[in-house]
Amino acid sequence: MAPPFVFPSSLRDLERNADGDDEGEPSLRPEAPIAVTALRAADLEEFVKGTSFDLSDKELFCIEEQDVFNSVYSLVRDFTCLPPALKFNLVEALRSNLSVLLPNIDSLSRASTLSPSDGIPITDRIASHRNALKIYSFFLLSIVHTQESSADSGTGAKVTTHGRKKNPVYAWNWEAQRGRIMNLVANSLEVDLTLLFGPGGADERYLSFVSKCTFVLFENQNVLKDEETRNGLCRIIGAIATKHQRISQTSASVLHLIHKYDFTVAYLAEAAAAAEKKFGDGSLAISLIREIGRTDPKDYVRDGAGADNVGRFLVELADRLPKLMSTNLGVLIPHFGGESYKIRNSLVGVLGKLAAKAFKDVDGNNSAHSIRLRSKQAMLEILIERCRDVSAYTRSRVLQVWAELCEENAISIGLWNEVASVASGRLEDKSAIVRKSALQLLITMLQHNPFGPQLRTATFDATLEKYKEKLQGMESQSPEEDEPVNDHPLGEVTAGQDESVSDSCLPSSQDQRDQDPMIADITNLEQIRALVASLEAGLRFSTCITSLMPILIQLLASSSATDVENTILLLMRCRQFQVEGSEAALRKMLPLVFSQDKSIYEAVESAFISIYTKRIPTETAKSLINLNIDCSIGDLAAMENLVSSLVLKGEISSSTMSALWDYFCFNINGVRPVQCRGALSILCMAAKSSPSILGSHLQDIVDIGFGRWAKEEPLLARTACLALHRLSEEDKVKLLNTSTRVFAALQSLITSFSLPEKIWYGATEKAISAIYTLHPAPEIFATEIAKKSLSSVFSSLAMDGMSNGAELETQNGSFVSAVSATKLGRFLFVISHIALNHLVYIETSVKKIQKQKPKNDKSQHTNEDSEVDASKNSEAQGINAELGLGATIDIAIESLAEQAEREIVSSSCEKNLIGHCGPFLSKLCRNLTLLQKFPVLHASAKLALCILMIIDAEFCEANLQILFTVAESAPSEIVRSNCTIALGDLAVRFPNLLEPWTEHIYARLGDPSASVRKNAVLVISHLILNDMMKVKGYINEMAVRVEDEDERISSLAKLFFHELSKKGSNPIYNLLPDILSRLCNQHLKEETFRSIMQFLIGSIKKDKQMEALVDKLCNRFAGGNDVRQWEYISYCLSQLTYTEKGLKKLIDNFKMFEHALSEDSVMNHFRSVIAKCKKFAKPELKVCIEEFEEKVSKVHEEKKEQEATARNAEAHKQRMGSLDRILVTKEVGQNDGKSAEEEASGEFIDPSVDSNAEDQETGEASGAVDPSVDDSNAEDKETGETSEVADPSVDDRNAEDQETEEASEVTGPSVDDRNAEDEETEEATEAADPSADDGNAEDKENMREHSENISSGKSQTSSTCTELEDGSAEVQSARKPRRGSSRSTLKKMSQPVLEGSADSAAPVVRRSTRSSRRL
């Protein structure tokens, strides 16, 4: 009997431990293996064939024989060196033996109960089978491992190719062999191995080796692509985990694969599901779910890729095993509170799978069914709650899950409206991906709604009311009277309901639909109640969708292309279900055709085709006509772009064009004139890309467009003029040859009054343009029109006075009343547009001449008779080019063109009609009083003035002032708007003339009219973005418009700054500091300012610019002391995005904003900056941030304490000032005698004045001041007692002075005890007595006398007065210093000179004199 085979950890370990296994027992090991690589090819082939013969000829257990074992081991060890044919022979021999061995194991279990027939003990047979199973499995798996390792290293491909070419019979297909081997190993694990390994289970080493090989193969993505191999691997995993009870080890290996290799997720979930289905044991799946649930949620935050893979695995497992997942969901629910949004996303997906699949069957009793319904309801409630998740990805995923549930019809009617409400709310989410998912959910809900194909709110409402009445009538009857209700008529009710309620609401109505729709079935009370409930739900859903139209219109203007595309799809779906407002909302998408985003353009074009193009050409024409009739001017421009593009692409067929001509020519019954005009308008749109369309009906355009139908539809004539303008060159010539009345019709249109006034202006503009396009000599025909128009206006007046405008001087508008303001306005309109079209005509003619010149030169070359002449001609031209003679022709052409342009408006020529109208028009426009009486004339005159100014530079310069005056002060917003638009045109044509008026152009942004502001934004945006006007210091006015009360203006301003940020290196970066300083002075609301600056700062993306802004903003703190400006600057700092360099710059500029930290609002903004920086800071940078935070907080507290101290000192100063005035008044009378006696000495001194050099230098003031009297407060200023203002810093007393001076009773002398700092801050505004001596003795004597004076009166102060030379008086008072105070602490306080004071209550006091005693 052979020794047992013990599984090594690897193949070559069999050689390393030949003495036995770990327990010291002998085991089957290779002895003297053969070096296969050293054999010759023939010998190797013979060796392999011999080994294969032994394996196939001998019994299955021959593998236990030492020589066979050695041979097989040697070949497996060097398997990669074998030729393909020999590999095939060896693998087939081993695989076939193992496949035969497995049935023997089953038969062995049956034979174990019987006596052995061959005399071999059953134990030996079992051992042999066990050894053979282990050896065959070991060698086969080793071959797989060796072959895959060599394939990964790239050594096996060449051998395989060589083998296929050499011996196609034994073609080496490794993938097929690998799949067979793995499935064979899986079969060996699935058979009953209890007899071989005992009740304890299979050999641990055997299972470990198989498991190890399996999971190694699972790490190879190429291996998993083979379905047969993948199935075998999954079976092995399931068998080892479930059948052989290796749950924990297998779960750990599976989770390792899930975390590390994303391509294994779906296959591992398939393995777990297959194990549950095959063995009826879901322990592997349960173990995996619980292991995932026990994982710390923070681990998933650190391992983002692993969290993504785990989430996918859970969703795949829930899809395959919904019931098992539903019973173990509780361990996963806590992860909803984790920080990893990927895990939350996966759990949301799991709930969606379970809600759709886990509760479909209704087997079991009522209690079990009720439990299942409650579980499903709980899951759906979690999904509703997750719609408000903090992560946009999770919110988006929840909405996607709801859409999947809609498609699965897993949402009940009771929950339908709640889901719709949630989706509607998410349309305003800040994240684009959430809005996209919400739009897609609403589209899905409309498509799968249970309420019917029509969602008109009015229909639902009417039907619901009728059925409610029906229900009330049935409920009022007794139960016995329920049956006779069948006779109650329900026809008209159900007829309306048939289109709005689906069959699911009416369960028993299908059989009777053909006879009488839903009448006989809706007779049961319960059915009526169910129907009413369904109608109410349908009405709520219809109302919810209808209420979304304003939001959807806003989303059409979104900057996100996905928002626009999905909104268009939703609106199309709403239109399909006839939701109110969807048709009007869809028209809002037409301007999006001008979007630069190709996807948006394609979405609009696709929607336009699906909505307005039909299979029948007549229906297509009718839908296009109806759209055209109701379109605005902007929509018409967008529609023109679409129609011309679709005609070019062939989407609008020629048959549709024929149908449109039928509508225009009234060939269809019931066509109205407005439809005729609409058809011609669409044909004009199509002619933009294909002008030949109009050539087939030229005469019809003239006859119908200018005939009797033009009177019924006034816009028809204007459209006909547009059609004439868009004719091709061939058609224009054809029209001139065949039709003679076209110009007469155009002249009649311009000069007659047949059209209404509002329509006449537009039609006349197009008519004049058509004349200059069609007529061979338009200037001659235009002259006739101008003369005829002039004669109709001034026929009753003399023509001589028109040029000087003398008639305008008459009072009460007599000239205008005699002429007719309407006719005059029309005349000015005609003249101005003729002039403008003539300018265009001149420029077009010049371009034609310049294009024709090279062709003429070329034709001259071809007409030369000989090569000699040609060479001479070319030589002559070369000489002319060198001399510059060729350029003179171009210069002459340009000179003639300039002269022709000047002659349009110039009045130098006597025959120039328009030139004579210029001064007249200028004079008329200056008479604002007259024009205000005639608003229509006012508008026409200003428009004509603007047009003439655009034509001629001299005329423009002469009338610029009146134009700006009108633009600012005209009462009509139409006039101001026209002037604003004209300013833009003038800035383009004459930029140098308009440059000094730039400030006034910007001023139009502040106009009270929204229309004027909008035009100003458009004009300035056009000029700046096209580099026609410099961005000067007035751009702050445009910034204010970002928060304009009109949303349209606000959007245009934001669009301007968005486009401006794309130019160069983002000019907003350079403009921002100037905008900030100017906005600070405009006194805007705080919310408005913040919104503006937040938007502007958000347009700066570069880190370097952000860092430079930190420096610029910090430097602005030092530029002013306005607290409001500090708040604004600090707010801007808080809105910046900080990098490490930016933060360091902020810290380095601390001295710049240190003084502003006393304000709480400023401090709050800096706290916001610090909190923002902490989020991205690295550990080493966080230390610096914390130090900065401490420094800022410390300075803020110190500043607050200083402010509190200053406020207390100021309050105390005011109190003491009042007290000093009272005491001075009391002691004036007591000191009169002493003052008279001291006056005789003739010397005047101030005993309290320090006689230092600084005081002497300040004696230039006209009056001396008394330091003991505090007259610097506001009360003294108001009473007029002073003529000079004292320094308010005098009374800055220290804490000791404040305590002593607050006493209510004065018991002794008191003098301000000021410190050295007060002495330093004393200003030179006080005047000292020039006669004061510097000697110490005199000072001491003065102090002694002053002390006696105070003691005698028991007063705090003493006052002296000196009479000056001019007879005025000066009051001085002194305080005695406290005990222990040095003489240097005496401070001087000022009181202004009282010259001629009218205050009789304050008598003039003489100034005390200095003693004659001197040292």
Side-chain angles (χ1 to χ4, degrees):
M1 179 180 174
F5 177 77
V6 179
F7 269 88
S9 58
S10 64
L11 179 65
R12 293 187 178 272
D13 286 347
L14 288 174
E15 298 182 47
R16 298 190 184 99
N17 191 12
D19 297 334
D21 59 4
D22 296 340
E23 299 176 358
E25 297 180 359
S27 61
L28 185 61
R29 301 281 179 174
E31 297 177 0
I34 301 170
V36 176
T37 55
L39 298 176
R40 293 179 302 173
D43 296 339
L44 178 60
E45 184 175 358
E46 187 66 25
F47 179 67
V48 174
K49 287 183 178 180
T51 304
S52 301
F53 180 77
D54 291 341
L55 290 172
S56 59
D57 188 58
K58 295 181 180 181
E59 62 180 5
L60 295 173
F61 310 109
C62 67
I63 194 70
E64 293 182 296
E65 298 176 7
Q66 190 64 49
D67 55 344
V68 177
F69 184 83
N70 290 342
S71 300
V72 174
Y73 172 78
S74 301
L75 293 172
V76 172
R77 183 187 62 181
D78 298 321
F79 185 78
T80 56
C81 300
L82 299 178
L86 300 182
K87 287 182 179 181
F88 179 79
N89 291 337
L90 179 61
V91 171
E92 279 296 314
L94 293 173
R95 189 182 62 80
S96 60
N97 281 9
L98 179 58
S99 62
V100 174
L101 179 64
L102 294 182
N104 288 344
I105 295 175
D106 290 334
S107 62
L108 179 64
S109 62
R110 294 191 298 271
S112 62
T113 59
L114 305 175
S115 60
S117 60
D118 53 2
I120 301 176
I122 190 64
T123 56
D124 293 345
R125 295 179 64 187
I126 291 174
S128 298
H129 280 78
R130 180 171 59 246
N131 255 7
L133 174 65
K134 294 164 68 175
I135 293 171
Y136 284 126
S137 299
F138 174 75
F139 281 137
L140 286 172
L141 290 174
S142 297
I143 289 173
V144 173
H145 179 69
T146 303
Q147 181 66 22
E148 290 301 327
S149 299
S150 64
D152 292 340
S153 62
T155 60
K158 294 180 180 179
V159 176
T160 301
T161 305
H162 177 71
R164 285 176 181 169
K165 290 182 179 179
K166 186 176 181 180
N167 191 0
V169 178
Y170 296 102
W172 176 244
N173 187 355
W174 168 240
E175 290 186 358
Q177 292 290 341
R178 183 184 59 200
R180 295 190 189 103
I181 292 172
M182 299 315 299
N183 279 285
L184 185 59
V185 174
N187 292 336
S188 68
L189 291 171
E190 292 175 358
V191 300
D192 187 8
L193 301 179
T194 306
L195 181 61
L196 297 184
F197 294 99
D203 186 8
E204 187 69 23
R205 291 188 177 184
Y206 165 57
L207 295 176
S208 297
F209 184 80
V210 176
S211 178
K212 176 183 176 182
C213 292
T214 302
F215 286 113
V216 169
L217 290 175
F218 239 103
E219 295 175 1
N220 191 331
Q221 189 173 7
N222 293 326
V223 171
L224 296 179
K225 291 180 180 178
D226 180 37
E227 183 179 0
E228 188 175 4
T229 305
R230 185 175 69 245
N231 292 337
L233 293 173
C234 293
R235 288 173 59 197
I236 292 172
I237 292 175
I240 291 177
T242 305
K243 185 175 178 61
H244 297 281
Q245 301 299 318
R246 288 177 57 89
I247 299 295
S248 59
Q249 299 91 329
T250 306
S251 298
S253 300
V254 169
L255 287 176
H256 171 74
L257 289 176
I258 291 173
H259 279 273
K260 196 170 183 180
Y261 304 100
D262 57 345
F263 56 85
T264 64
V265 171
Y267 306 136
L268 291 172
E270 181 182 351
E276 193 273 340
K277 292 178 181 178
K278 186 173 184 64
F279 302 104
D281 184 2
S283 55
L284 176 59
I286 294 172
S287 176
L288 291 171
I289 294 171
R290 292 180 178 178
E291 284 296 328
I292 294 171
R294 283 194 290 265
T295 305
D296 188 356
K298 294 182 180 179
D299 294 342
Y300 292 125
V301 178
R302 292 187 288 267
D303 183 13
D308 194 11
N309 294 343
V310 169
R312 288 173 48 218
F313 174 77
L314 290 174
V315 175
E316 294 285 345
L317 198 60
D319 190 29
R320 290 172 171 82
L321 299 173
K323 292 184 179 179
L324 184 143
M325 179 64 78
S326 64
T327 56
N328 294 274
L329 186 62
V331 298
L332 300 175
I333 293 298
H335 282 276
F336 271 122
E339 297 180 9
S340 175
Y341 73 88
K342 294 182 178 179
I343 292 295
R344 297 201 301 273
N345 287 2
S346 65
L347 294 180
V348 166
V350 167
L351 292 177
K353 296 292 184 183
L354 297 184
K357 296 185 176 182
F359 308 103
K360 280 189 174 181
D361 56 341
V362 293
D363 298 337
N365 53 22
N366 293 334
S367 61
H369 182 60
S370 177
I371 293 174
R372 284 178 172 272
L373 289 180
R374 286 199 298 270
S375 300
K376 180 179 179 180
Q377 185 66 26
M379 293 178 185
L380 295 178
E381 289 176 358
I382 294 175
L383 287 177
I384 292 288
E385 179 185 357
R386 284 296 106 191
C387 289
R388 292 178 283 273
D389 194 278
V390 294
S391 172
Y393 297 104
T394 303
R395 297 196 299 272
S396 175
R397 179 62 185 140
V398 173
L399 296 173
Q400 292 172 9
V401 168
W402 279 116
E404 295 171 2
L405 292 175
C406 285
E407 294 175 352
E408 296 288 339
N409 296 322
I411 303 178
S412 63
I413 293 181
L415 198 60
W416 192 271
N417 284 296
E418 187 174 358
V419 176
S421 177
V422 170
S424 302
R426 289 301 98 194
L427 289 180
E428 298 180 278
D429 197 282
K430 63 181 181 180
S431 175
I433 59 173
V434 180
R435 297 194 298 270
K436 175 183 176 182
S437 299
L439 289 166
Q440 292 176 345
L441 172 56
L442 289 170
I443 293 172
T444 307
M445 294 187 74
L446 279 171
Q447 187 173 357
H448 295 86
N449 83 87
F451 307 112
Q454 296 181 3
L455 294 176
R456 292 194 298 266
T457 306
T459 303
F460 270 99
D461 199 8
T463 307
L464 178 61
E465 290 298 325
K466 294 179 181 179
Y467 274 96
K468 279 186 176 180
E469 294 177 0
K470 172 70 174 177
L471 180 60
Q472 292 176 358
M474 294 180 67
E475 288 179 344
S476 62
Q477 298 176 357
S478 62
E480 293 78 13
E481 297 177 349
D482 285 343
E483 295 182 358
V485 179
N486 293 333
D487 298 333
H488 196 283
L490 292 173
E492 57 180 1
V493 175
T494 55
Q497 179 58 29
D498 187 30
E499 297 179 349
S500 59
V501 179
S502 66
D503 298 338
S504 60
C505 303
L506 309 170
S508 60
S509 64
Q510 187 65 34
D511 297 337
Q512 302 293 333
R513 182 179 297 274
D514 296 335
Q515 300 177 2
D516 197 358
M518 291 179 291
I519 295 180
D521 296 326
I522 310 300
T523 57
N524 186 277
L525 182 60
E526 293 300 325
Q527 290 181 349
I528 291 291
R529 288 174 178 171
L531 180 58
V532 169
S534 177
L535 285 172
E536 290 176 345
L539 178 61
R540 289 196 300 272
F541 181 67
S542 176
T543 305
C544 177
I545 299 298
T546 304
S547 64
L548 294 178
M549 294 304 135
I551 300 176
L552 295 179
I553 292 174
Q554 292 179 0
L555 287 176
L556 286 175
S558 173
S559 58
S560 173
T562 56
D563 283 350
V564 178
E565 294 173 20
N566 287 283
T567 301
I568 292 174
L569 292 177
L570 178 57
L571 287 172
M572 291 177 63
R573 188 70 67 183
C574 291
R575 180 180 179 275
Q576 177 184 347
F577 284 88
Q578 302 180 11
V579 177
E580 287 91 336
S582 58
E583 191 77 31
L586 273 172
R587 292 188 180 180
K588 300 293 183 180
M589 78 173 181
L590 292 178
L592 295 176
V593 75
F594 300 110
S595 174
Q596 296 179 355
D597 194 317
K598 185 178 179 181
S599 61
I600 294 179
Y601 175 82
E602 291 176 351
V604 174
E605 187 179 62
S606 176
F608 187 86
I609 293 172
S610 62
I611 294 173
Y612 298 109
T613 59
K614 314 293 182 181
R615 294 182 179 179
I616 303 175
T618 306
E619 294 182 359
T620 302
K622 185 176 180 180
S623 63
L624 292 174
I625 291 172
N626 293 335
L627 175 64
N628 179 274
I629 292 172
D630 298 332
C631 276
S632 61
I633 296 177
D635 293 341
L636 285 174
M639 187 178 177
E640 179 178 347
N641 190 307
L642 281 169
V643 170
S644 61
S645 175
L646 294 178
V647 169
L648 196 62
K649 295 178 180 179
E651 295 291 342
I652 297 180
S653 61
S654 58
S655 57
T656 303
M657 295 292 104
S658 300
L660 289 170
W661 281 118
D662 291 339
Y663 270 98
F664 174 70
C665 299
F666 295 90
N667 294 334
I668 299 177
N669 294 330
V671 175
R672 293 175 291 127
V674 67
Q675 291 178 318
C676 170
R677 187 259 301 173
L680 183 59
S681 176
I682 297 172
L683 289 168
C684 292
M685 296 175 183
K688 186 177 181 181
S689 59
S690 180
S692 60
I693 291 176
L694 298 173
S696 59
H697 292 76
L698 292 178
Q699 195 61 42
D700 292 333
I701 294 174
V702 176
D703 294 340
I704 299 176
F706 301 104
R708 64 182 183 88
W709 296 109
K711 297 179 181 179
E712 298 186 19
E713 175 55 37
L715 289 176
L716 182 59
R718 180 183 181 276
T719 309
C721 293
L722 179 62
L724 294 176
H725 187 271
R726 290 192 174 174
L727 292 175
S728 62
E729 294 299 328
E730 296 79 6
D731 293 333
K732 290 177 182 178
V733 175
K734 181 180 177 182
L735 180 65
L736 293 176
N737 295 332
T738 58
S739 180
T740 58
R741 60 180 297 268
V742 58
F743 295 109
L746 291 174
Q747 184 179 14
S748 174
L749 174 66
I750 296 171
T751 57
S752 66
F753 295 88
S754 58
L755 295 178
E757 183 175 359
K758 293 183 178 180
I759 298 176
W760 179 88
Y761 287 99
T764 299
E765 179 185 0
K766 295 297 180 182
I768 295 174
S769 178
I771 290 171
Y772 271 87
T773 302
L774 297 174
H775 205 282
E779 66 278 7
I780 299 175
F781 189 71
T783 303
E784 296 178 1
I785 295 176
K787 289 181 178 179
K788 188 172 182 179
S789 179
L790 179 65
S791 62
S792 66
V793 177
F794 297 102
S795 58
S796 60
L797 298 176
M799 297 293 297
D800 300 335
M802 187 186 64
S803 59
N804 54 24
E807 293 87 346
L808 297 178
E809 304 297 331
T810 59
Q811 298 293 328
N812 301 325
S814 59
F815 169 76
V816 177
S817 61
V819 170
S820 170
T822 302
K823 292 183 179 181
L824 180 59
R826 292 193 178 190
F827 166 72
L828 295 176
F829 184 86
V830 171
I831 289 296
S832 61
H833 278 78
I834 288 176
L836 183 61
N837 279 273
H838 198 69
L839 176 65
V840 176
Y841 175 70
I842 292 172
E843 293 178 352
T844 305
S845 301
V846 170
K847 290 180 180 179
K848 287 181 180 179
I849 295 173
Q850 291 175 345
K851 288 182 180 180
Q852 192 67 27
K853 181 175 175 293
K855 295 180 181 179
N856 296 334
D857 295 341
K858 187 176 180 180
S859 62
Q860 290 178 3
H861 288 305
T862 58
N863 293 332
E864 296 294 338
D865 296 331
S866 63
E867 295 181 358
V868 177
D869 294 337
S871 61
K872 290 181 179 179
N873 188 27
S874 61
E875 183 179 354
Q877 287 184 355
I879 295 174
N880 291 337
E882 292 179 0
L883 296 176
L885 299 178
T888 57
I889 299 177
D890 295 333
I891 295 174
I893 293 174
E894 293 179 0
S895 177
L896 290 174
E898 292 177 359
Q899 182 179 356
E901 291 177 4
R902 286 195 301 270
E903 289 179 355
I904 296 176
V905 182
S906 176
S907 59
S908 59
C909 181
E910 296 181 357
K911 298 182 180 181
N912 192 338
L913 177 61
I914 300 178
H916 285 297
C917 289
F920 166 77
L921 183 60
S922 178
K923 190 72 173 179
L924 177 64
C925 290
R926 294 177 188 274
N927 194 339
L928 300 180
T929 305
L930 175 66
L931 291 180
Q932 288 179 2
K933 299 179 181 178
F934 305 97
V936 177
L937 177 60
H938 191 184
S940 298
K942 297 306 180 194
L943 181 60
L945 178 69
C946 295
I947 292 176
L948 296 185
M949 289 175 67
I950 292 172
I951 296 173
D952 188 80
E954 295 180 359
F955 188 79
C956 174
E957 185 176 8
N959 293 277
L960 266 180
Q961 186 173 3
I962 184 61
L963 180 63
F964 277 100
T965 302
V966 172
E968 293 178 3
S969 59
S972 172
E973 67 177 27
I974 297 176
V975 175
R976 297 201 305 273
S977 294
N978 290 339
C979 292
T980 303
I981 296 172
L983 289 175
D985 296 333
L986 291 173
V988 174
R989 184 159 173 82
F990 308 118
N992 294 333
L993 293 179
L994 270 292
E995 196 274 337
W997 300 86
T998 302
E999 181 180 0
H1000 297 279
I1001 296 177
Y1002 277 100
R1004 297 298 83 233
L1005 293 169
D1007 196 277
S1009 171
S1011 174
V1012 179
R1013 293 199 306 273
K1014 184 190 75 172
N1015 289 324
V1017 169
L1018 290 172
V1019 167
I1020 294 176
S1021 300
H1022 173 73
L1023 294 176
I1024 293 177
L1025 295 178
N1026 290 282
D1027 299 323
M1028 299 174 185
M1029 186 169 71
K1030 295 181 180 180
V1031 184
K1032 292 195 174 182
Y1034 315 108
I1035 195 65
N1036 59 292
E1037 293 294 338
M1038 182 68 87
V1040 173
R1041 299 279 71 82
V1042 170
E1043 285 298 309
D1044 196 278
E1045 58 187 11
D1046 190 296
E1047 293 184 3
R1048 171 68 174 165
I1049 299 175
S1050 176
S1051 300
L1052 290 172
K1054 290 179 180 178
L1055 179 62
F1056 163 74
F1057 282 107
H1058 177 71
E1059 295 297 327
L1060 183 64
S1061 66
K1062 299 178 182 179
K1063 295 177 66 67
S1065 59
N1066 195 350
I1068 297 179
Y1069 156 72
N1070 296 319
L1071 295 171
L1072 192 64
D1074 183 59
I1075 292 175
L1076 170 62
S1077 62
R1078 290 178 178 272
L1079 291 181
C1080 290
N1081 299 326
Q1082 286 191 255
H1083 304 291
L1084 300 174
K1085 293 182 180 179
E1086 186 174 354
E1087 296 79 6
T1088 303
F1089 173 84
R1090 291 188 175 187
S1091 299
I1092 294 171
M1093 296 309 299
Q1094 184 179 12
F1095 172 77
L1096 294 178
I1097 294 174
S1099 62
I1100 301 175
K1101 306 297 182 183
K1102 294 182 180 179
D1103 291 340
K1104 290 186 178 180
Q1105 292 181 344
M1106 285 287 187
E1107 294 163 5
L1109 275 178
V1110 175
D1111 272 337
K1112 291 185 177 182
L1113 293 177
C1114 289
N1115 291 334
R1116 294 212 167 243
F1117 277 105
N1121 296 323
D1122 186 9
V1123 176
R1124 185 184 182 89
Q1125 186 174 0
W1126 293 347
E1127 293 177 359
Y1128 286 168
I1129 297 173
S1130 59
Y1131 172 77
C1132 293
L1133 284 173
S1134 68
Q1135 296 302 309
L1136 297 180
T1137 301
Y1138 286 88
T1139 60
E1140 186 174 348
K1141 291 183 180 179
L1143 178 60
K1144 289 182 179 179
K1145 285 190 176 184
L1146 181 66
I1147 297 174
D1148 294 340
N1149 286 297
F1150 178 77
K1151 290 294 182 183
M1152 294 292 182
F1153 56 81
E1154 180 182 8
H1155 61 284
L1157 294 175
S1158 59
E1159 298 297 326
D1160 292 335
S1161 57
V1162 176
M1163 185 62 190
N1164 291 334
H1165 292 316
F1166 275 96
R1167 290 193 182 104
S1168 175
V1169 172
I1170 293 170
K1172 183 187 296 184
C1173 293
K1174 284 183 177 179
K1175 294 180 180 179
F1176 72 87
K1178 299 177 181 178
E1180 57 271 15
L1181 188 60
K1182 281 189 177 181
V1183 178
C1184 184
I1185 295 174
E1186 291 174 356
E1187 293 177 356
F1188 177 66
E1189 184 178 12
E1190 293 177 0
K1191 187 177 181 181
V1192 169
S1193 301
K1194 182 179 179 181
V1195 171
H1196 175 66
E1197 293 175 358
E1198 290 177 354
K1199 295 289 183 183
K1200 297 298 288 184
E1201 291 177 359
Q1202 292 176 4
E1203 286 186 357
T1205 303
R1207 286 195 299 269
N1208 293 337
E1210 182 66 24
H1212 178 69
K1213 175 181 174 182
Q1214 294 179 2
R1215 290 196 300 269
M1216 292 308 302
S1218 301
L1219 182 60
D1220 287 346
R1221 285 192 296 274
I1222 295 173
L1223 294 176
V1224 168
T1225 304
K1226 287 184 179 180
E1227 295 190 2
V1228 165
Q1230 298 178 4
N1231 295 332
D1232 283 343
K1234 292 184 178 181
S1235 298
E1237 184 179 349
E1238 291 172 354
E1239 188 177 5
S1241 63
E1243 288 184 274
F1244 302 96
I1245 65 169
D1246 186 350
S1248 65
V1249 176
D1250 288 342
S1251 57
N1252 50 35
E1254 181 181 355
D1255 294 335
Q1256 293 178 5
E1257 293 174 358
T1258 60
E1260 298 175 1
S1262 60
V1265 292
D1266 185 1
S1268 65
V1269 181
D1270 184 11
D1271 287 336
S1272 61
N1273 53 38
E1275 185 176 348
D1276 291 334
K1277 294 178 182 178
E1278 294 174 358
T1279 55
E1281 296 175 358
T1282 63
S1283 61
E1284 251 180 85
V1285 179
D1287 185 4
S1289 64
V1290 171
D1291 271 7
D1292 188 10
R1293 301 172 177 84
N1294 56 29
E1296 184 179 357
D1297 293 333
Q1298 294 177 12
E1299 292 176 359
T1300 58
E1301 291 175 357
E1302 288 177 358
S1304 58
E1305 289 183 68
V1306 180
T1307 58
S1310 175
V1311 181
D1312 283 346
D1313 187 7
R1314 297 172 178 82
N1315 51 30
E1317 182 179 354
D1318 293 331
E1319 292 179 0
E1320 293 175 0
T1321 58
E1322 184 72 353
E1323 301 294 331
T1325 57
E1326 299 174 340
D1329 187 1
S1331 64
D1333 197 288
D1334 292 336
N1336 292 334
E1338 287 84 357
D1339 291 336
K1340 293 180 180 178
E1341 183 66 19
N1342 292 335
M1343 291 173 63
R1344 186 181 302 110
E1345 294 175 2
H1346 186 56
S1347 176
E1348 293 175 358
N1349 184 23
I1350 294 175
S1351 300
S1352 64
K1354 294 184 179 181
S1355 166
Q1356 187 180 358
T1357 60
S1358 63
S1359 299
T1360 59
C1361 180
T1362 300
E1363 184 173 349
L1364 302 180
E1365 294 178 358
D1366 58 356
S1368 63
E1370 187 178 43
V1371 177
Q1372 294 276 342
S1373 64
R1375 296 180 184 231
K1376 182 178 180 179
R1378 302 178 188 275
R1379 182 180 301 175
S1381 300
S1382 63
R1383 184 175 177 275
S1384 63
T1385 61
L1386 294 175
K1387 293 286 289 180
K1388 47 184 180 173
M1389 298 179 60
S1390 63
Q1391 178 174 333
V1393 180
L1394 303 175
E1395 295 183 357
S1397 175
D1399 190 358
S1400 59
V1404 178
V1405 186
R1406 292 289 182 182
R1407 184 179 175 187
S1408 61
T1409 60
R1410 192 195 315 181
S1411 173
S1412 60
R1413 294 174 297 173
R1414 294 187 179 181
L1415 295 178

